[in-house]
Amino acid sequence: MSDAPEQQPDDSDVARRARAAEELPLPERADAFAALHDELRTRLESGSTARG
């Protein structure tokens, strides 16, 4: 629907990873959310966005 179809799966991937992390036992959940946080922070700091 948009000019950047490659970027939309990134959004759904983040949501999918967050849902998957919520189902993990607490110690692994913390690690999964920390990894997701680090990846999103890196994306934000680099200026790349999921939407154009």
Side-chain angles (χ1 to χ4, degrees):
M1 289 194 275
S2 73
D3 293 339
E6 295 176 24
Q7 294 173 346
Q8 288 179 348
D10 289 343
D11 287 340
S12 64
D13 184 51
V14 170
R16 182 175 45 251
R17 288 173 58 191
R19 282 192 303 272
E22 289 173 353
E23 297 177 7
L24 295 171
L26 192 56
E28 288 119 7
R29 186 182 322 168
D31 290 342
F33 276 117
L36 188 56
H37 172 267
D38 290 344
E39 180 181 326
L40 292 173
R41 183 184 64 223
T42 300
R43 261 169 55 183
L44 286 170
E45 289 174 350
S46 72
S48 64
T49 60
R51 291 185 242 180

